[in-house]
Amino acid sequence: MKEIEVWEYVIKWGLAQNPTLISDPRTWSDDDFKTMKNTLQQCLPLIRFFSLTSGIITQKIRPYRKLLDQQLYENLIDSYMDPDSNPIENILLPRKNIKFDIDSKIVNLNIISTVSRWIDEVDVNYEFSHFRELYFPYEFKLLLRGSRNGFTPKKFHDFCDGKPYTVTFIKVRGTEEIIGGYNPLIWESSRVWGETEDSFIFSFKNRDAVISSVKNPNYAIDYSTICGPQFGYDLTICSTDKLVNYSKIFCKQHFYEKKIRDTEDEFLIEDYEVFQLI
């Protein structure tokens, strides 16, 4: 079921428990809203309001806004109207009720949906992207997995050079953190930089998501033969030689808008995957 269908059935059930209430909430008094809110008190916290579209919120939720906690409702509206607003605590992630397969040992469907939203720029406020209804406009075709194909720059370029529209996911060893980036250009092995205004890097840690768009498009993508999927100097993943496993991996803000990790220390990779969007 879609989330709006869940909401409509909850309202229908609430009305059945209160047969004296008229179905049109525009006719309800404050006491009527209190009665319905008390009836639905165990149901309302389970509704994924933030996964609904702005149009559905206007048409289907706003007439019942007095049933919702005021702070929750204001944050819900701000999530669509104010690009600088931040999520309140305890927002539920969207239900995984869509059939979509991805060959990944690193990411879940929620992360795939969020990155797809960022690519298509469908959200005004990126801070709320991973709370929206799941969004799968692309097939994610696996090109490389480190644990399967190797962790050297050569293996990366063997499998990924010449491929445009790729997303890289890197699992940081010993943490729940996933970092990566989107590159709309083809990967290649050269001494030049890939220039684009459309790349971005990101991180996911627990329920927090960070996106950082490129601010200096002349240095968006590093094509060096001793590097893997490197984005500027902001997401560095390189080695001393193209045949040697990656030895320098860290994040430091240079050519992208903001840093995606709290620390600039080097870290180890548990695994990494590169997908092409089709």
Side-chain angles (χ1 to χ4, degrees), residues 9 17 50 70 76 125 147 184 188 202 211 264 271 277:
Y9 274 109
Q17 311 313 305
F50 287 84
Q70 183 177 354
L76 179 62
N125 190 328
S147 57
E188 60 181 74
F202 54 79
I211 177 176
E264 296 179 355
D271 207 348
L277 277 55

Side-chain angles (χ1 to χ4, degrees), residues 2 29 38 65 84 101 123 138 149 152 156 176 179-180 198 203 237 243:
K2 293 184 176 181
S29 66
N38 184 62
R65 61 187 178 277
D84 298 320
D101 294 324
D123 289 314
Y138 306 105
N149 305 113
T152 67
F156 165 73
E176 296 302 315
I179 64 174
D198 298 323
S203 67
I237 173 170
L243 299 176

Side-chain angles (χ1 to χ4, degrees), residues 53-67:
T53 66
S54 58
I56 287 177
I57 291 170
T58 300
Q59 298 169 24
K60 303 288 187 177
I61 306 300
R62 187 168 63 177
Y64 299 94
R65 61 187 178 277
K66 291 184 179 179
L67 296 178

Side-chain angles (χ1 to χ4, degrees), residues 215-230:
K215 68 175 183 179
N216 189 337
N218 295 325
Y219 300 95
I221 307 296
D222 190 341
Y223 286 145
S224 173
T225 57
I226 62 170
C227 294
Q230 180 155 313

Side-chain angles (χ1 to χ4, degrees), residues 33-255:
F33 274 104
K34 288 179 181 178
T35 298
M36 184 65 118
K37 188 173 183 178
N38 184 62
T39 300
L40 301 180
Q41 60 181 319
Q42 302 299 323
C43 301
L44 293 176
L46 303 178
I47 303 295
R48 274 75 168 168
F49 292 106
F50 287 84
S51 72
L52 301 173
T53 66
S54 58
I56 287 177
I57 291 170
T58 300
Q59 298 169 24
K60 303 288 187 177
I61 306 300
R62 187 168 63 177
Y64 299 94
R65 61 187 178 277
K66 291 184 179 179
L67 296 178
L68 277 59
D69 175 80
Q70 183 177 354
Q71 183 185 12
L72 172 68
Y73 183 73
E74 289 178 356
N75 194 231
L76 179 62
I77 299 302
D78 287 345
S79 74
Y80 285 101
M81 301 295 292
D82 182 2
D84 298 320
S85 64
N86 294 309
I88 60 175
E89 295 182 358
N90 302 321
I91 297 178
L92 297 176
L93 296 174
R95 304 178 198 275
K96 298 178 174 63
N97 57 359
I98 297 177
K99 293 182 178 179
F100 181 84
D101 294 324
I102 180 170
D103 182 11
S104 176
K105 297 183 180 297
I106 296 179
V107 296
N108 57 33
L109 297 185
N110 200 69
I111 290 178
I112 292 297
S113 171
T114 300
V115 171
S116 297
R117 284 179 170 276
W118 287 341
I119 292 170
D120 287 352
E121 299 181 338
V122 297
D123 289 314
V124 173
N125 190 328
Y126 290 133
E127 296 291 334
F128 289 86
S129 295
H130 55 308
F131 296 119
R132 304 305 190 200
E133 196 161 54
L134 297 181
Y135 176 76
F136 302 117
Y138 306 105
E139 175 188 348
F140 278 65
K141 178 183 178 182
L142 181 65
L143 299 178
L144 173 145
R145 176 178 294 131
S147 57
R148 182 186 71 183
N149 305 113
F151 292 89
T152 67
K154 184 178 187 306
K155 286 295 184 181
F156 165 73
H157 287 289
D158 285 347
F159 285 95
C160 300
D161 276 6
K163 303 291 196 307
Y165 307 112
T166 58
V167 179
T168 298
F169 297 106
I170 300 171
K171 179 71 169 65
V172 180
R173 183 181 296 180
T175 74
E176 296 302 315
E177 190 175 4
I178 297 169
I179 64 174
Y182 167 66
N183 175 20
L185 308 175
I186 64 169
W187 289 102
E188 60 181 74
S189 302
S190 69
R191 294 183 178 180
V192 302
W193 288 88
E195 300 180 13
T196 176
E197 297 180 349
D198 298 323
S199 64
F200 58 82
I201 56 178
F202 54 79
S203 67
F204 293 90
K205 187 176 182 180
N206 300 322
R207 291 166 57 87
D208 296 326
V210 177
I211 177 176
S212 180
S213 299
V214 65
K215 68 175 183 179
N216 189 337
N218 295 325
Y219 300 95
I221 307 296
D222 190 341
Y223 286 145
S224 173
T225 57
I226 62 170
C227 294
Q230 180 155 313
F231 294 79
Y233 292 142
D234 302 66
L235 172 49
T236 295
I237 173 170
C238 62
S239 177
T240 56
D241 185 89
K242 65 180 181 180
L243 299 176
V244 177
N245 284 353
Y246 301 123
S247 56
K248 294 187 72 65
I249 311 163
F250 58 89
C251 298
K252 190 173 184 179
Q253 194 270 324
H254 283 282
F255 303 126

